[in-house]
Amino acid sequence: MIINLKNPELYNNRELSWLQFNTRVLKQAQDESLPLLERLKFLAIYGTNLDEFYMIRVAGLKKLFTAGIIVSGADRLTPLQQLREIRKYLHQEQQVVEHCMIGILKKLELNNVFIRTYSEVNQHEKNILNKYFQENIYPVIIPIAIDATHPFPHLNNLSFGLIVKLSDNDNQDIERFGLIRIPRVLERFIELENGIYVTIETLVAQHVEDLFPGYSLLKYSSFRVTRNADLEIEEEEADDFMEILEEGLKLRKKGAMVRLEVGSKSDEEIISFFNNHTNVFKDDIYRFHTFLNLASLWQIVGSKKHAHLLSEPFKPKLLPPFDCSENIFSTLEKQDVLLYHPYESFEPVVQLIQSASKDPDVVSIKMTLYRSGTNSPIVQALMNASESGIQVTVMVELKARFDEENNLIWAKALEKAGAHVIYGIKGFKVHAKAALITRRKNGKLKQYAHLGTGNYNPATAKIYTDMSYMTAKDEITNDLTRFFHFLSGFSNKGKLNELYMAPAQIKPKILSLIQNEMRKGKDGHIIAKINSLVDEDVIRGLYKASQAGTKIDLIVRGVCCLKPGIEGVSENITVTSILGKYLEHPRVFYFKNDAVQVYISSADWMPRNLVRRVELLTGIKDDSSREKIIQILQLQRSDNSLAHELQSDGTYLKVKKEGVKSINNHKFLEDYVNRISKAKKKKSASEIQQIAARLFMES
């Protein structure tokens, strides 16, 4: 029987799959085996994720619905159906979130960390808070009267404050509504002595009558608004891309309102008053009985006073061959190196650029920058290199969502230093992670390359798992030269020889590799580690390979539209998601075929990565690097501590570990790297490599 692989029932909805991902984040917060602030951190991550989901995904669905779009994915759910399912899911999950929050807060109190309202502290503490209000809040708070002469104000995205109902002291029959905006420059929690944190809105509520003299407070509610934050940049409208971006950032603050969160003191009158002016759909209004803005919990999580309530920090290690004083270029001429961050330090990547910026033999440095972070040592090295006369070319992606403003600052600084800055490719985001250094050696030019799965950001390299591949192989560096020529020239249709570049090459290559495994039938084996799997052509290719008997193991952190375990379609496919101490970020692919092929990439298996972005796929031919990747993939497949397995109905179940050794791949690799680091003080490089191989085999 021929099965229609376009049947909508064979696909998970993208948005609902994302919600399942965020639920797995929430489960980390519910995990009582974790330290308390580690659990609170996952609540903060859950809230941050949900903010972005509403700003981007829900806002996008609302626009599709308004535009009359009926179908928007392989599952064939309409935008309206998706919006209904999202709202139903989130309103149900909100109860779980609040129960989790209350449980964590109670246990934090046993560890002398207290989150309180103004009314819950003693008089001495109230006196301190009142003084704090007068000195630190009153000068910057924004009381807003709303009446015939004071129109309802524009509220920026993620605005937070109070809705108040007031009565006139001279005539109590006169009642008015107002708003109090609490600027983001003010801390969400006011820290007192003895580990007490007081929510700022409850302190402000005590001083409403100071802000509106002559009026008495009748009732109030905290509020927080979410707007559409997706930038719509019509690149045809102007030649100056920077000018468009700057205008787009202004527009972000004025996007349509897509969600309203209100506190427990809200009632129908307060909500009706607010919503008469903002017109938020009733099912996009969420009432919280704890407090608003889970993302603000980072303030408490990040306090050094409570570090003992977090997981023990891990310091990334410098391992051979980068643990010696040898010139980094000499090292790469001898061997390729694959680093697995954050277990192995990101410092060699920074050192590569810094060494190049100071080397008189270096002729040029070329890089892509997507999210470089603030105070970037890499960007500073590029500016120093340019100022010293080295030819520096940098592709700064100004459309990196939520990093546009930061990237704009870096782009201008690089230009000022004399670098040649490319501001984007028309119609595409440049998401590839690549650096190429050219230097003179013995009268000839020699090149050195870095290709990665993650951003050139030393800060996130400590909390994201990613891979860095460093090489001086001519076939790789020659291709990267062509790649950077494509970026700085007019062509977006060029093809590379050893590397593969989206939008033209990566998707056909992936489909070809899947087909090759399919031809091997039961002897075929695919392992793919990615963040998201959405592309319909790739999913259908995997379904066909499964039907041919090919074994397919997918490690998908987030969205997965493929349904495993369906008889006659995907019974040979497993999908697991790993969530833990580190954010799993690499894109890594293994194909058994006749000769094992291993690839790393900047691209997920999503249409936006494969069709609408400039990405790179790199085949790893170095034996040592390839074997290291295979061992990492095998270790992750063995994880039974952090892994959840996707079921055919779209839900996830925690992988069972009854009667078997517990394997937490994050903990295993921390221990593994620590043991290698200690061994290197006593043993040779070859002995260390033998120890490393044994440790991986133990898993």
Side-chain angles (χ1 to χ4, degrees):
M1 182 181 71
I2 297 176
I3 297 175
N4 177 17
L5 295 183
K6 292 186 178 182
N7 183 342
E9 294 183 2
L10 299 180
Y11 299 86
N12 291 317
N13 176 261
R14 171 182 170 155
E15 315 307 343
L16 299 180
S17 180
W18 185 94
L19 290 175
Q20 287 276 355
F21 158 69
N22 214 30
T23 295
R24 297 195 295 282
V25 174
L26 178 59
K27 285 184 178 180
Q28 291 294 110
Q30 296 171 289
D31 186 348
E32 295 188 0
S33 70
L34 294 177
L36 284 171
L37 283 191
E38 205 69 28
R39 295 175 62 192
L40 202 68
K41 179 184 77 175
F42 279 107
L43 267 185
I45 294 170
Y46 173 90
T48 303
N49 288 348
L50 195 54
D51 285 348
E52 185 170 332
F53 180 74
Y54 245 95
M55 286 188 276
I56 305 301
R57 304 305 306 176
V58 174
L61 287 172
K62 283 173 171 277
K63 292 184 72 173
L64 290 177
F65 172 70
T66 302
I69 304 298
I70 302 301
V71 176
S72 59
D75 58 280
R76 313 309 283 175
L77 289 183
T78 68
L80 181 58
Q81 289 172 321
Q82 293 178 69
L83 286 168
R84 286 172 174 165
E85 290 296 323
I86 288 167
R87 291 158 177 156
K88 178 182 176 182
Y89 190 104
L90 290 176
H91 279 289
Q92 291 176 345
E93 190 163 80
Q94 183 182 331
Q95 299 174 22
V96 180
V97 172
E98 294 193 334
H99 182 265
C100 177
M101 164 76 79
I102 291 168
I104 293 173
L105 295 184
K106 285 181 178 178
K107 291 191 175 182
L108 280 173
E109 290 183 1
L110 300 177
N111 289 270
N112 299 314
V113 178
F114 308 89
I115 298 180
R116 295 280 190 253
T117 64
Y118 178 90
S119 62
E120 292 174 326
V121 299
N122 63 40
Q123 189 57 51
H124 171 67
E125 290 161 343
K126 287 178 180 176
N127 292 339
I128 294 172
L129 288 168
N130 292 336
K131 182 180 179 183
Y132 182 92
F133 176 86
Q134 294 300 331
E135 293 179 354
N136 298 282
I137 298 178
Y138 185 79
V140 295
I141 205 84
I142 308 170
I144 303 169
I146 300 172
D147 55 26
T149 59
H150 297 86
F152 195 90
H154 172 79
L155 298 171
N156 289 344
N157 186 29
L158 302 183
S159 287
F160 168 61
L162 300 180
I163 311 164
V164 295
K165 184 179 181 182
L166 309 163
S167 66
D168 191 321
N169 290 342
D170 295 330
N171 184 350
Q172 293 186 358
D173 291 334
I174 298 176
E175 296 178 346
R176 299 182 185 278
F177 282 97
L179 296 180
I180 302 172
R181 292 174 63 176
I182 301 176
R184 293 181 207 178
V185 295
L186 297 173
E187 289 192 326
R188 179 69 177 80
F189 303 101
I190 301 152
E191 185 177 358
L192 300 175
E193 295 178 353
N194 304 320
I196 297 174
Y197 294 85
V198 177
T199 55
I200 190 171
E201 67 271 28
T202 60
L203 173 56
V204 171
Q206 292 300 313
H207 293 273
V208 168
E209 293 167 13
D210 295 332
L211 296 166
F212 293 95
Y215 287 85
S216 297
L217 177 65
L218 297 176
K219 56 185 174 181
Y220 77 92
S221 171
S222 53
F223 75 89
R224 186 169 181 259
V225 300
T226 310
R227 289 185 176 277
N228 179 353
D230 205 7
L231 290 177
E232 289 193 355
I233 301 167
E234 297 295 335
E235 295 181 46
E236 298 287 350
E237 293 180 3
D239 293 325
D240 187 343
F241 196 84
M242 290 172 64
E243 181 182 318
I244 303 169
L245 216 295
E246 288 170 332
E247 183 62 28
L249 289 170
K250 295 174 188 174
L251 291 174
R252 171 170 288 171
K253 297 175 183 178
K254 300 177 182 178
M257 200 173 290
V258 293
R259 180 180 61 168
L260 170 63
E261 298 166 284
V262 293
S264 58
K265 291 182 177 293
S266 62
D267 60 17
E268 290 309 313
E269 184 184 24
I270 279 184
I271 293 175
S272 295
F273 155 74
F274 192 91
N275 214 23
N276 284 339
H277 296 280
T278 57
N279 198 30
V280 178
F281 185 68
K282 62 180 178 63
D283 288 339
D284 290 318
I285 299 174
Y286 296 82
R287 184 178 299 180
F288 284 81
H289 298 285
T290 49
F291 51 81
L292 305 185
N293 192 5
L294 293 176
S296 64
L297 292 169
W298 283 110
Q299 179 187 340
I300 298 170
V301 172
S303 173
K304 294 181 180 179
K305 296 178 182 178
H306 314 307
H308 62 288
L309 297 175
L310 284 164
S311 295
E312 184 179 350
F314 173 79
K315 184 179 180 181
K317 300 296 188 293
L318 270 177
L319 299 183
F322 292 132
D323 60 337
C324 62
S325 58
E326 183 182 44
N327 179 290
I328 193 167
F329 300 115
S330 300
T331 299
L332 295 181
E333 287 164 11
K334 295 175 186 175
Q335 65 183 106
D336 291 358
V337 181
L338 184 121
L339 301 175
Y340 190 32
H341 313 300
Y343 313 102
E344 294 177 274
S345 175
F346 192 72
E347 187 57 32
V349 181
V350 177
Q351 183 192 350
L352 179 68
I353 308 304
Q354 289 178 332
S355 298
S357 71
K358 301 172 185 175
D359 191 329
D361 292 326
V362 169
V363 176
S364 72
I365 305 172
K366 299 177 181 179
M367 281 192 77
T368 60
L369 291 179
Y370 192 75
R371 300 187 195 276
S372 55
T374 56
N375 302 317
S376 169
I378 288 178
V379 177
Q380 188 59 55
L382 292 172
M383 290 191 289
N384 293 342
S386 184
E387 288 168 350
S388 68
I390 295 173
Q391 183 189 73
V392 175
T393 303
V394 188
M395 165 68 233
V396 180
E397 181 48 78
L398 296 181
K399 290 179 286 187
R401 185 175 287 156
F402 300 117
D403 268 354
E404 302 95 342
E405 201 158 4
N406 191 48
N407 285 0
L408 198 59
I409 292 169
W410 281 131
K412 290 179 176 179
L414 284 161
E415 246 187 4
K416 188 176 180 181
H420 174 58
V421 180
I422 307 166
Y423 290 112
I425 305 296
K426 183 179 176 181
F428 298 92
K429 274 187 181 180
V430 178
H431 192 248
K433 326 295 182 184
L436 180 66
I437 294 161
T438 305
R439 67 194 290 264
R440 294 187 184 89
K441 184 180 180 186
N442 301 326
K444 295 182 179 180
L445 294 180
K446 179 66 179 173
Q447 294 183 303
Y448 311 82
H450 172 271
L451 290 149
T453 64
N455 298 308
Y456 289 107
N457 187 328
T460 56
K462 293 178 181 177
I463 54 175
Y464 290 14
T465 66
D466 266 309
M467 292 185 182
S468 284
Y469 180 54
M470 303 167 78
T471 181
K473 281 190 167 69
D474 290 342
E475 58 267 32
I476 299 292
T477 59
N478 289 343
D479 253 10
L480 270 186
T481 298
R482 289 165 55 82
F483 170 74
F484 280 104
H485 286 172
F486 294 146
L487 293 187
S488 60
F490 289 113
S491 175
N492 57 25
K493 298 180 180 178
K495 292 189 176 182
L496 306 178
N497 299 318
E498 284 293 321
L499 304 175
Y500 300 87
M501 181 174 67
Q505 289 180 285
I506 294 181
K507 183 171 178 176
K509 179 63 176 177
I510 294 296
L511 292 174
S512 173
L513 288 165
I514 292 171
Q515 288 170 355
N516 287 341
E517 294 302 313
M518 181 178 70
R519 294 188 188 102
K520 302 293 290 184
K522 294 181 179 179
D523 293 328
H525 190 191
I526 299 169
I527 307 174
K529 177 176 172 56
I530 45 181
N531 297 321
S532 300
L533 173 55
V534 176
D535 189 88
E536 294 175 39
D537 294 327
V538 173
I539 292 173
R540 281 195 282 273
L542 293 170
Y543 282 159
K544 290 176 182 177
S546 173
Q547 289 175 324
T550 301
K551 180 177 173 60
I552 302 168
D553 295 305
L554 304 176
I555 307 168
V556 187
R557 186 193 77 209
V559 174
C560 183
C561 294
L562 176 148
K563 288 186 176 182
I566 299 175
E567 185 178 353
V569 177
S570 56
E571 65 264 51
N572 293 308
I573 303 176
T574 65
V575 180
T576 57
S577 171
I578 293 174
L579 283 171
K581 183 176 180 179
Y582 302 112
L583 181 75
E584 293 290 339
H585 196 250
R587 294 87 169 183
V588 190
F589 316 121
Y590 164 95
F591 297 91
K592 181 181 176 183
N593 213 321
D594 294 316
V596 169
Q597 298 181 65
V598 173
Y599 299 82
I600 66 170
S601 182
S602 59
D604 282 309
W605 287 354
M606 304 176 73
R608 73 179 188 192
N609 297 95
L610 301 176
V611 178
R612 298 190 296 275
R613 290 185 176 183
V614 176
E615 308 266 14
L616 285 172
L617 173 73
T618 305
I620 306 298
K621 297 183 178 179
D622 171 67
D623 290 342
S624 177
S625 299
R626 184 170 61 239
E627 183 59 28
K628 185 173 182 177
I629 290 174
I630 293 171
Q631 289 178 334
I632 290 168
L633 289 173
Q634 296 289 15
L635 175 63
Q636 293 224 314
R637 287 179 61 225
S638 302
D639 191 301
N640 57 15
S641 180
L642 305 178
H644 291 75
E645 188 166 359
L646 176 61
Q647 309 300 301
S648 58
D649 64 357
T651 61
Y652 285 79
L653 294 179
K654 192 80 180 284
V655 172
K656 293 182 180 179
K657 53 184 175 185
E658 297 173 2
V660 297
K661 179 182 177 182
S662 175
I663 298 176
N664 176 327
N665 86 93
H666 292 177
K667 183 70 170 61
F668 178 92
L669 286 165
E670 285 183 346
D671 293 343
Y672 153 72
V673 170
N674 279 332
R675 288 166 68 181
I676 295 295
S677 183
K678 290 176 182 177
K680 76 179 184 180
K681 298 175 182 178
K682 302 177 182 179
K683 301 183 181 294
S684 67
S686 61
E687 288 176 310
I688 292 169
Q689 289 174 352
Q690 291 175 7
I691 293 171
R694 286 202 305 273
L695 284 171
F696 266 114
M697 292 305 293
E698 286 174 11
S699 71

